[in-house]
Amino acid sequence: MEKKYVEVCFTPDDYDYFKGRFEIVVVIDVLRATSAICSAIDNGVKSVIPVSSIEEAHNYQEKGFKVGAERQGQIVEGFDFGNSPYSYMQPALRGEEIVLSTTNGTRAINIAKDAETVVIGSLLNLETLTNWLIARGKNVLCLCSGWKGNFNLEDTICGGAIADKLLASGHYSSHEDSSVGAKYLYCSSRDNYFGFLKSSSHRRRLKKLNLNRDIKYCLTPNQLDVIPILQNGKIVALSDS
Ligand code: 3SL
């Protein structure tokens, strides 16, 4: 059987190079957007509508939606939540349709929205997601959200983890240096993500905002067995996950 590809794209700004060659795009924003989305879907939130701009978020708010909005790691004034995964674990949100706008994560989701299948990846759902990807047997692109168009370590490590597991299945190969590099970073960090990322830019940014609890949660793999999937502009739970 011919092998499929798994590749890692470091930032949404590099997406055009990879676009159109992969049936499945996994969008990753470990700190914290895709971890928050996985937590929301795991909590039973009916759907998360990812929007790129604060203006769009306001429009939804005016229509009566509960809306989370984050910029620079902080809750945007006037919105219901920011981007802490813990905000999305409230029982009151079960069955609700909510809206989320974040600096990089929701932008990356919208950039990938025309792919055949867009799923949400994080360290939290790593094992469930990689098992599902292997069973699907399609070409997979891991799209890292990065930070404002720049490379970041935590998303790259998660992309490398996904690539590593798919390669280990024997049914995949990688050709791009970004994928090889991501895998090396994953292999160097997997025994202690928290320590490895100590001096990473976003960990420092969130630490300054006293968000260490969020960081620890987001860097603890395989806590959730959900696969959030984008369907008609809304992120919902994949029904066969
Ligand atoms: O950039 C994003 O989408 C966010 O995840 C950033 S933060 O962790 O909320 O600061």
Side-chain angles (χ1 to χ4, degrees):
M1 201 176 76
E2 207 180 303
K3 289 194 181 190
K4 297 292 177 183
Y5 294 112
V6 56
E7 304 289 0
V8 178
C9 173
F10 286 154
T11 81
D13 288 15
D14 295 337
Y15 183 63
D16 274 352
Y17 173 76
F18 295 92
K19 198 174 173 174
R21 293 191 276 137
F22 301 83
E23 291 90 358
I24 302 181
V25 176
V26 180
V27 180
I28 302 166
D29 188 345
V30 168
L31 297 175
R32 296 168 289 169
T34 59
S35 299
I37 293 168
C38 288
S39 302
I41 297 298
D42 180 67
N43 179 33
V45 167
K46 185 177 166 199
S47 66
V48 179
I49 302 172
V51 299
S52 301
S53 71
I54 294 297
E55 197 188 334
E56 288 168 277
H58 269 303
N59 292 341
Y60 275 103
Q61 200 175 38
E62 276 166 14
K63 288 183 201 152
F65 282 83
K66 287 203 171 75
V67 180
E70 165 279 328
R71 288 297 181 272
Q72 301 296 125
Q74 292 175 290
I75 302 181
V76 180
E77 213 185 307
F79 287 96
D80 301 298
F81 327 96
N83 200 16
S84 171
Y86 290 103
S87 307
Y88 298 94
M89 295 176 192
Q90 301 169 38
L93 291 180
R94 285 184 196 139
E96 293 277 331
E97 197 153 65
I98 64 172
V99 175
L100 180 64
S101 180
T102 71
T103 311
N104 305 286
T106 55
R107 176 176 167 249
I109 294 166
N110 283 315
I111 281 173
K113 70 179 189 322
D114 292 331
E116 199 176 297
T117 302
V118 176
V119 290
I120 304 301
S122 67
L123 291 172
L124 300 173
N125 67 341
L126 182 62
E127 195 174 317
T128 301
L129 177 63
T130 50
N131 288 340
W132 179 79
L133 290 169
I134 293 165
R136 290 297 296 262
K138 305 269 179 145
N139 294 303
V140 174
L141 179 68
C142 301
L143 173 59
C144 301
S145 299
W147 182 259
K148 298 185 179 175
N150 280 325
F151 167 95
N152 81 16
L153 274 174
E154 63 277 8
D155 296 344
T156 306
I157 286 169
C158 185
I162 294 169
D164 183 64
K165 298 199 185 304
L166 269 54
L167 293 168
S169 73
H171 301 305
Y172 281 86
S173 60
S174 292
H175 294 278
E176 302 292 343
D177 282 0
S178 54
S179 315
V180 178
K183 200 186 130 176
Y184 285 150
L185 283 169
Y186 162 65
C187 292
S188 309
S189 62
R190 64 182 157 200
D191 295 333
N192 182 5
Y193 296 122
F194 199 75
F196 190 90
L197 290 167
K198 204 165 189 151
S199 50
S200 73
S201 56
H202 201 48
R203 206 199 127 177
R204 280 185 281 121
R205 205 175 283 121
L206 294 179
K207 198 173 165 222
K208 263 195 212 148
L209 297 170
N210 286 323
L211 293 169
N212 246 340
R213 183 170 170 245
D214 281 16
I215 301 170
K216 278 194 182 137
Y217 171 71
C218 295
L219 297 183
T220 306
N222 303 324
Q223 301 183 66
L224 307 177
D225 62 5
V226 288
I227 301 175
I229 185 165
L230 187 68
Q231 280 174 355
N232 304 318
K234 297 177 181 182
I235 300 164
V236 298
L238 181 75
S239 46
D240 64 344
S241 64

